């Protein structure tokens, strides 16, 4: 009876689950690869590293490097986990480098932890590591065996317990050493007093009640209150036991034959009426009927863990231990960040593309840094005319596209601000400006509150706009005085320069995205980015529309085919318009038009619109009667199906 009446637990891939059950460190560490010589044939040399750990700006020697094969293995592992969680793959062009940088950061943190352990003689022995590995595997196997049905299915699938054990060992063995390292460091540098725990519990009491309070209960579910009252009377009189009544009368077949046993459950697990009654009940008291959307319940609470005061938490060692662990984790994070800063750890990226991507991540709002980065990228990405080099690496083109986009946003903002200021110089209300920024802000707050209560009052809205303009004018005036741009002619030139720069790099970005689209037409991110800068390219228009359609299909199981147009009319009309413009374009080849009409047929089938489908079939016939075998019969069959429906 979990949200409600789940009768069968879903068997999750053992390998994926194992990675999370271990719960090693408090940063992303699921794909840790042990700091041993690389195992895929990559030699241990700086050239085969992607990043090198530094201390006081001096590079440390191996094993304080992240090797390329280690990164690849971690990337594959975490990409799979990302897909398991979100149902989509990491975009190979635009997202993979950022994802790799994140993994490198995690791996570097692990190496810093290892450095501390090495310096302080805390590194675990091989024997200690093997012992911990076996313990982790044994614990997880015991958890799996608790559900006999699932365990039997697992054994049937994998063949034997040994095979399951081998899978678990291979899944978590690389993470065990770093787990032991962090455990030992934590034990050395972190401690939590009872007073600190009580203080934390007091400050977070409501949240902790929701998180940790739980009830162990049995229930009997029947359809109506009268039946529930009769069963309750029989139980209270001793005519029937609770267990027998559950087996005989409960319509919750998932637990009726097991005394109506629900086990332990926390807040938010059951429907509200059931939860409220269960948490308020006295242990071993029969309560009910409790009415919910599923019927009437009789409930017997077998045990409870509830807290009236922060001190009550101390009565439950298992819960206190979890809270203590949370505090230790928080303290460890704080200590670790301070240790990294104090010891002046850093990193050098050996891989060029990753290094350039990291530069972009650290300078997204720094115009000078972005200009320098774009200049460095241009050598490998574009030619002297601004066209993309045909042999440019896709990852460098992606960094170029992102860098130029970030830079164009800065140029556009500069130009727009200059335009606004030039306009405000002559249009702003000077009397409002004279009030000063503090009183202007007060007035804006006052008017905002009035407008929220009277949204149709145009006079208030107009007055607020005047104060907004005055505020904007003062802020820009101060900005341009600092920049020595008070001369109207100089400011106008500044505006023009930013507009020119934005137009130039936007054109270069469009060329780079066009080349990326030719290389990766299946990348939804590439398609979307290129479509935004060149929506008139018929090929990208088709591909973009196909992406929209695939997203639309994902909603059918939730809202039904018949409701698609109601919920997504704008998107659907945009897709239909794109198909129509490609088919009607004089620039489209016959093949391009037929591709668009194929897409149109798929849209029609997704919508269940037979008339729309007939229209596309007839257009296909007009362009190429042989494109679809027996097209006349297909058209007629579709018409016949339409008539039957109508």
């Amino acid at each position: 009876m979990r949200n409600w009446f789940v009768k069968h637990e879903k068997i999750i891939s053992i390998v994926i689950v194992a990675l999370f059950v271990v719960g090693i460190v408090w940063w992303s560490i699921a794909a840790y690869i042990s700091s041993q010589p690389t195992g895929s044939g990559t030699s241990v040399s700086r050239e085969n590293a992607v990043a090198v750990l530094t201390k006081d700006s001096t590079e440390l020697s191996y094993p304080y490097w992240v090797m390329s094969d280690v990164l690849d293995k971690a990337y594959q592992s975490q990409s799979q986990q990302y897909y398991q969680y979100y149902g989509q793959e990491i975009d190979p062009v635009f997202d993979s480098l950022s994802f790799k940088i994140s993994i490198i950061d995690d791996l570097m943190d692990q190496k810093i932890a290892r450095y501390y352990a090495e310096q302080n003689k805390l590194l675990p022995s091989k024997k200690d590591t093997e012992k911990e590995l076996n313990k982790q595997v044994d614990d997880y196997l015991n958890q799996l065996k608790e559900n006999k049905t699932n365990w039997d299915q697992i054994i049937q699938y994998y063949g034997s317990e040994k095979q399951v054990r081998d899978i678990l060992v291979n899944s978590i063995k690389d993470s065990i050493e770093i787990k032991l390292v962090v455990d030992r460091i934590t034990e050395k540098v972190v401690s939590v007093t009872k007073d600190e725990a009580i203080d934390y519990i007091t400050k977070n009491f409501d949240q902790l009640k929701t998180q940790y309070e739980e009830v162990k209960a049995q229930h009997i579910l029947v359809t109506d209150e009268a039946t529930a009252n009769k069963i309750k009377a029989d139980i209270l009189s001793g005519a029937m036991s609770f267990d027998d009544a559950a087996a005989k009368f409960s319509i919750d077949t998932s637990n009726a034959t097991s005394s109506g046993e629900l086990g332990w459950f926390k807040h938010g697990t059951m429907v509200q009426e059931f939860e409220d009654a269960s948490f308020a009940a006295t242990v071993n008291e029969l309560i009910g009927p409790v009415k919910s959307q599923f019927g009437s319940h009789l409930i017997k609470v077998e045990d409870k863990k509830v807290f009236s005061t922060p001190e009550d938490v101390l009565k439950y060692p298992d819960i206190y231990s979890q809270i203590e662990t949370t505090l230790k984790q928080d303290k460890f994070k704080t200590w670790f960040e301070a240790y990294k800063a104090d010891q002046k750890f850093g990193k050098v990226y050996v891989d060029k593309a990753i290094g350039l991507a990291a530069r972009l991540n650290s300078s997204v709002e720094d115009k000078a840094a972005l200009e320098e980065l774009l200049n460095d990228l241009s050598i490998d990405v574009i030619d002297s005319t601004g066209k993309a080099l045909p042999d440019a690496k896709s990852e460098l083109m992606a960094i170029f596209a992102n860098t130029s986009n970030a830079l164009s946003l800065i140029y556009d903002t500069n130009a727009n601000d200059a335009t606004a200021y030039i306009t405000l110089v002559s249009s702003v209300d000077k009397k409002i400006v004279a009030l000063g920024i503090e009183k202007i802000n007060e007035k804006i707050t006052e008017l905002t509150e009035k407008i929220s209560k009277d949204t149709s009052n145009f006079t208030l809205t107009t007055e607020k706009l005047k104060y907004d303009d005055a505020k904007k004018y003062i802020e820009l005036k101060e900005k341009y005085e600092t920049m020595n741009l008070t001369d109207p002619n100089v400011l106008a030139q500044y505006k023009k320069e930013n507009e020119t720069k934005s137009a130039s790099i936007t054109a270069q970005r469009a060329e780079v995205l066009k080349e990326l689209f030719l290389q990766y037409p299946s990348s939804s991110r590439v398609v979307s980015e290129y479509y935004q800068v060149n929506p008139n390219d018929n090929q990208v228009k088709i591909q973009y529309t196909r992406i929209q359609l695939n997203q639309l299909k994902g909603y059918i199981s939730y809202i039904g085919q018949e409701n698609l147009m109601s919920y997504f009319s704008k998107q659907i009309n945009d897709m239909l318009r794109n198909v129509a413009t490609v088919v009607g374009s004089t620039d489209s080849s016959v093949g391009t038009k037929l591709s668009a009409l194929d897409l149109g047929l798929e849209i029609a089938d997704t919508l269940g619109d037979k008339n729309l489908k007939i229209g596309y079939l007839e257009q296909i016939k007009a362009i190429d009667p042989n494109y679809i075998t027996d097209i006349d019969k297909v058209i007629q069959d579709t018409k016949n199906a339409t008539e039957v429906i109508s």
Side-chain angles (χ1 to χ4, degrees):
M1 201 183 70
R2 293 285 188 270
N3 286 333
W4 264 63
F5 310 123
V6 177
K7 299 179 181 178
H8 303 287
E9 293 183 13
K10 182 179 179 182
I11 299 179
I12 305 171
S13 167
I14 294 179
V15 175
I16 297 298
V17 173
L19 290 171
F20 292 97
V21 170
V22 175
I24 303 158
V25 193
W26 306 293
W27 57 83
S28 177
I29 198 172
Y32 172 77
I33 310 300
S34 61
S35 300
Q36 301 299 318
T38 57
S40 62
T42 301
S43 61
V44 180
S45 64
R46 191 180 184 281
E47 291 71 25
N48 290 323
V50 292
V52 173
L53 184 66
T54 64
K55 188 175 184 299
D56 292 317
S57 300
T58 300
E59 293 186 8
L60 300 181
S61 59
Y62 186 83
Y64 297 104
W65 304 343
V66 175
M67 306 304 295
S68 59
D69 63 334
V70 170
L71 176 61
D72 289 342
K73 183 179 176 182
Y75 178 82
Q76 291 171 8
S77 174
Q78 294 200 22
S79 296
Q80 290 170 0
Q81 293 171 38
Y82 184 89
Y83 183 79
Q84 289 284 335
Y85 269 119
Y86 301 109
Q88 60 188 38
E89 297 179 349
I90 301 294
D91 186 273
V93 180
F94 277 98
D95 298 329
S96 62
L97 284 177
S98 292
F99 201 62
K100 287 179 179 179
I101 290 170
S102 176
I103 293 171
I104 290 171
D105 288 343
D106 293 339
L107 293 173
M108 282 298 188
D109 277 350
Q110 294 160 25
K111 292 183 181 301
I112 292 171
R114 191 181 191 280
Y115 180 90
Y116 180 90
E118 187 176 55
Q119 297 298 307
N120 290 273
K121 297 181 172 51
L122 296 175
L123 283 178
S125 66
K126 184 177 180 180
K127 182 179 179 181
D128 290 337
T129 303
E130 288 179 352
K131 181 179 178 181
E132 180 64 22
L133 172 60
N134 289 326
K135 179 183 180 300
Q136 291 284 347
V137 172
D138 287 342
D139 288 347
Y140 188 56
L141 284 173
N142 289 334
Q143 290 179 44
L144 291 175
K145 291 176 181 178
E146 287 177 1
N147 188 314
K148 187 177 184 305
T149 301
N150 281 0
W151 177 247
D152 289 343
Q153 291 176 318
I154 290 168
I155 292 300
Q156 183 178 358
Y157 183 83
Y158 288 106
S160 67
E161 180 174 333
K162 181 182 182 305
Q163 184 66 19
V164 176
R165 185 179 189 87
D166 289 344
I167 291 171
L168 290 172
V169 167
N170 289 329
S171 298
I172 69 174
K173 64 180 180 181
D174 290 333
S175 63
I176 294 300
E177 182 188 45
I178 193 63
K179 176 190 183 300
L180 290 175
V181 164
V182 173
D183 285 348
R184 292 181 178 195
I185 296 174
T186 303
E187 188 67 25
K188 179 178 176 63
V189 304
V190 172
S191 63
V192 174
T193 66
K194 189 162 290 187
D195 287 342
E196 287 176 324
I198 290 294
D199 183 60
Y200 174 81
I201 294 168
T202 302
K203 291 177 180 177
N204 301 277
F205 191 57
D206 290 339
Q207 176 187 334
L208 293 173
K209 281 172 68 68
T210 300
Q211 183 177 356
Y212 290 112
E213 282 191 335
E214 55 184 340
V215 168
K216 186 174 186 284
Q218 301 165 270
H219 88 133
I220 299 170
L221 175 66
V222 293
T223 56
D224 60 276
E225 188 173 343
T227 302
N229 278 320
K230 185 177 184 310
I231 295 170
K232 182 179 182 181
D234 288 342
I235 294 172
L236 292 175
S237 69
M240 184 181 298
S241 70
F242 189 98
D243 295 0
D244 290 341
K248 186 174 181 179
F249 298 110
S250 183
I251 61 174
D252 181 4
T253 56
S254 66
N255 54 48
T257 57
S258 57
S259 306
E261 185 63 60
L262 298 171
W264 288 96
F265 57 88
K266 296 183 178 182
H267 291 287
T269 305
M270 307 298 184
V271 291
Q272 197 62 51
E273 303 92 337
F274 192 97
E275 176 184 312
D276 292 344
S278 298
F279 276 89
T282 301
V283 173
N284 291 323
E285 177 187 0
L286 180 62
I287 63 169
V290 174
K291 190 174 181 180
S292 78
Q293 66 195 80
F294 301 100
S296 292
H297 308 262
L298 296 175
I299 306 170
K300 185 167 76 170
V301 172
E302 302 169 278
D303 200 357
K304 296 169 66 173
K305 292 180 181 177
V306 293
F307 327 126
S308 298
T309 67
E311 287 73 17
D312 288 344
V313 177
L314 303 181
K315 299 175 184 177
Y316 306 101
D318 57 330
I319 295 174
Y320 178 78
S321 177
Q322 293 178 59
I323 292 171
E324 186 180 44
T325 297
T326 297
L327 288 171
K328 284 183 177 180
Q329 291 171 359
D330 291 342
K331 280 194 167 187
F332 180 86
K333 289 179 186 177
T334 301
W335 172 85
F336 190 70
E337 291 304 315
Y339 173 71
K340 287 195 295 183
D342 180 65
Q343 296 296 310
K344 298 179 181 178
F345 284 107
K347 66 178 78 69
V348 172
Y349 291 102
V350 181
D351 182 276
K352 180 178 181 179
I354 291 176
L356 291 169
R359 282 175 60 187
L360 173 59
N361 289 350
S362 63
S363 57
V364 288
E365 295 182 355
D366 186 332
K367 183 171 76 72
L370 289 171
E371 288 174 334
E372 182 180 357
L373 175 58
L374 195 69
N375 185 61
D376 291 344
L377 284 162
S378 297
I379 299 170
D380 297 312
V381 174
I382 59 173
D383 63 20
S384 59
T385 66
K387 303 289 185 182
L389 294 169
D391 58 347
K393 293 182 178 179
S394 59
E395 53 193 7
L396 296 182
M397 287 194 286
I399 301 169
F400 183 96
N402 286 335
T403 304
S404 57
N405 185 51
L407 199 49
S408 67
L409 289 174
I410 293 175
Y411 291 146
D412 288 342
T413 299
N414 290 343
N416 292 336
D417 282 351
T419 300
Y421 183 72
I422 291 169
T423 302
L424 288 170
V425 167
S426 58
S427 66
V428 72
D429 189 323
K430 298 299 193 296
K431 291 181 180 179
I432 296 177
V433 171
L435 294 174
I437 194 69
E438 185 175 338
K439 289 186 177 180
I440 290 173
N441 281 331
E442 291 175 359
K443 189 66 175 179
I444 289 173
T445 301
E446 176 190 329
L447 290 169
T448 300
E449 292 176 356
K450 288 181 178 179
I451 291 170
S452 68
K453 298 174 183 177
D454 187 6
T455 56
S456 61
N457 192 322
F458 182 72
T459 301
L460 287 174
T461 303
T462 302
E463 185 179 4
K464 180 178 178 295
L465 288 174
K466 290 181 179 180
Y467 281 88
D468 288 337
D469 284 348
K471 179 180 179 180
K472 181 77 170 178
Y473 171 80
I474 292 172
E475 291 172 344
L476 290 176
K477 185 173 186 292
E478 291 177 354
K479 171 185 174 181
Y480 293 137
E481 285 175 349
T482 302
M483 297 173 64
N484 198 27
L485 290 174
T486 54
D487 186 301
N489 293 326
V490 175
L491 185 59
Q493 182 62 32
Y494 168 81
K495 169 181 174 292
K496 184 177 180 181
E497 288 175 357
N498 277 277
E499 289 173 339
T500 301
K501 289 178 179 179
S502 177
S504 174
I505 63 172
T506 298
Q508 292 174 1
R509 181 169 182 265
E511 290 295 326
V512 169
L513 288 169
K514 180 179 180 180
E515 182 63 32
L516 277 173
F517 174 66
L518 294 174
Q519 294 182 21
Y520 291 92
S522 61
S523 166
S524 59
R525 179 78 184 276
V526 169
V527 171
S528 297
E529 294 277 347
Y530 181 46
Y531 181 78
Q532 297 306 315
V533 299
N534 191 8
N536 295 321
D537 185 314
N538 288 323
Q539 292 295 332
V540 76
K541 188 175 292 186
I542 292 172
Q543 200 64 12
Y544 180 76
T545 304
R546 188 174 299 284
I547 291 171
Q548 285 185 301
L549 178 60
N550 289 335
Q551 292 173 342
L552 188 69
K553 288 178 179 178
Y555 290 98
I556 293 177
S557 61
Y558 297 101
I559 64 174
Q561 182 187 55
E562 68 279 4
N563 294 314
L564 287 176
M565 183 59 81
S566 299
Y567 285 95
F568 299 102
S569 59
K570 183 182 183 303
Q571 293 90 329
I572 292 170
N573 286 329
D574 286 344
M575 289 190 291
L576 296 175
R577 188 179 301 109
N578 281 349
V579 171
T581 54
V582 173
V583 174
S585 172
T586 56
D587 296 330
S588 296
S589 66
V590 169
T592 301
K593 291 181 179 182
L594 290 172
S595 294
L597 289 168
D598 270 337
L599 181 57
L601 291 175
E602 194 174 344
I603 295 172
D605 285 337
T606 300
L607 298 175
D609 191 329
K610 303 296 183 184
N611 290 322
L612 182 63
K613 184 174 183 178
I614 291 168
Y616 287 134
L617 287 168
E618 289 176 341
Q619 289 183 72
I620 289 173
K621 178 183 176 182
I623 295 173
D624 183 354
N626 299 314
Y627 185 68
I628 295 178
T629 304
D630 295 330
I631 191 167
D632 288 326
K633 183 177 184 304
V634 174
I635 292 172
Q636 188 58 51
D637 288 346
T638 307
K639 287 181 177 179
N640 292 341
T642 305
E643 292 170 1
V644 170
I645 293 172
S646 61

